[in-house]
Amino acid sequence: MSLAGAGLPSVLPADKLAELKETAAKLCAPGKGFLAADESAGPWLRAGHAEAAKIPDVIENRAAYRSLCFSSPGLSESISGVILHWETLFQKDATGKAMVDIIKENGMIPGIKVDKGYNKKGIWGTSTGPLGHPEVATLGLDDLQQRCQQAYKEGARFAKWRNVLQMDPAKGLPSELAIKDTVHTLARYASICQSEGLVPIVEPEIVPNGDHDIYYCAQMTEKVLAAQFKALADHHIYLEGAVLKPNMVKNGLGGPKATAETIATLTCQTLLRTVPPSMPGIFFLSGETALNEDNEEE
């Protein structure tokens, strides 16, 4: 007996749907979020510290850093899932213990980044946006089925895929073409993930670059999310076994600054208008504002 009329019922049995739902619920535990550990280079290099830059970026050092991080006592009090780079999925620490096992034993769920980024040459015929390149399409669908199957076998239970959209009111960005490509690609990715037992993080990211105001961001975010959930329905996605990772509704980095209250009001309004109640959780993107504006930096 199927758990729902949607959710790939002809492909996935009830026990697989139940597993997806359980994983999604654990990822959405109150007060917890994701640890994004899917960088390819040495993570210590991102801090920009002069002394840290002297540490050689070799696989042994990356393994030592990651194992230290993943085994930190109490980490699971705030982190439900850890997004891994492909290298890390197969990596072991100095004692031969798998990173995936370190994460699980510390009370968290291993996940995997599966998109392959995008080509900045972009979608042919689209306008150049505030990122300095045309609108783009994310790569990686061609062999995604095989990679998801392998990731599940190695212990991953959820996946991340990022699609990028740009805003420019004067140029009509994001364009209809870019929105259609984004929501179709994310829905296709989500269906492949669920067919292999991975909970998909659906991430239609509208970047904050530009000088637009918050009301244009609200208009475009609502348009994109409405299109996204239509695409997820078309692809028979089991929403109870997926999570959403959108942008907040904010002004552009160079636009007129909105108050925190306006940001909260318009973000909630947009989500309430577009996100079905069966979606178990929403995780916001980090790092899209000035350091003194993010509450984790204040």
Side-chain angles (χ1 to χ4, degrees):
M1 180 178 179
S2 175
L3 294 182
L8 306 175
S10 63
V11 178
L12 296 182
D15 61 338
K16 183 61 70 175
L17 294 175
E19 181 186 354
L20 289 168
K21 183 177 182 179
E22 180 182 6
T23 299
K26 289 179 179 178
L27 290 173
C28 298
K32 296 187 180 184
F34 293 116
L35 172 62
D38 53 334
E39 68 286 317
S40 54
W44 58 87
L45 299 175
R46 296 173 65 88
H49 194 283
E51 290 301 311
K54 297 177 182 178
I55 301 174
D57 183 15
V58 295
I59 192 168
E60 293 82 7
N61 287 341
R62 292 196 295 272
Y65 184 97
R66 289 163 176 161
S67 62
L68 177 68
C69 177
F70 301 155
S71 61
S72 297
L75 187 60
S76 63
E77 295 174 10
S78 301
I79 300 298
S80 58
V82 182
I83 305 170
L84 302 177
H85 185 265
W86 194 253
E87 173 187 276
T88 319
L89 184 64
F90 303 90
Q91 202 165 40
K92 295 178 172 58
D93 68 5
T95 68
K97 190 170 188 176
M99 296 292 171
V100 168
D101 291 335
I102 294 174
I103 292 168
K104 290 192 290 187
E105 290 177 11
N106 204 12
M108 298 168 291
I109 302 172
I112 183 68
K113 173 189 174 182
V114 291
D115 73 78
K116 295 183 177 181
Y118 59 80
N119 187 329
K120 290 184 179 180
K121 289 184 177 181
I123 301 173
W124 182 254
T126 60
S127 299
T128 297
L131 290 178
H133 56 68
E135 295 181 292
V136 294
T138 302
L139 308 174
L141 285 178
D142 50 353
D143 63 345
L144 183 60
Q145 193 89 44
Q146 294 84 356
R147 289 188 290 121
C148 284
Q149 184 182 52
Q150 190 174 9
Y152 185 91
K153 183 179 179 181
E154 292 296 324
R157 289 299 178 266
F158 71 96
K160 174 211 172 188
W161 178 294
R162 173 177 178 254
N163 263 68
V164 172
L165 291 167
Q166 304 180 69
M167 280 187 284
D168 187 332
K171 294 182 178 180
L173 302 183
S175 68
E176 292 289 343
L177 178 61
I179 292 173
K180 288 178 181 178
D181 178 82
T182 287
V183 301
H184 169 79
T185 299
L186 283 168
R188 189 77 188 91
Y189 139 81
S191 69
I192 293 172
C193 284
Q194 289 193 335
S195 74
E196 296 297 341
L198 300 178
V199 169
I201 300 175
V202 179
E203 187 175 347
E205 179 184 357
I206 307 176
V207 296
N209 306 71
D211 57 7
H212 53 274
D213 62 27
I214 191 172
Y215 300 102
Y216 186 73
C217 182
Q219 178 188 353
M220 291 299 104
T221 302
E222 183 172 335
K223 182 177 183 178
V224 169
L225 289 179
Q228 185 63 76
F229 281 99
K230 172 62 165 62
L232 293 176
D234 290 342
H235 285 257
H236 314 294
I237 299 306
Y238 182 51
L239 292 184
E240 292 86 345
V243 298
L244 180 67
K245 191 163 174 269
N247 53 283
M248 286 187 184
V249 174
K250 294 183 176 182
N251 55 270
L253 296 178
K257 187 172 176 58
T259 65
E261 291 76 14
T262 303
I263 291 170
T265 298
L266 292 180
T267 298
C268 290
Q269 172 183 285
T270 300
L271 295 173
L272 287 169
R273 287 178 173 181
T274 56
V275 181
S278 53
M279 176 63 68
I282 298 170
F283 296 82
F284 289 113
L285 295 159
S286 62
E288 62 177 31
T289 56
L291 292 181
N292 63 355
E293 292 181 10
D294 287 337
N295 55 18
E296 68 266 24
E297 297 288 347
E298 290 181 341

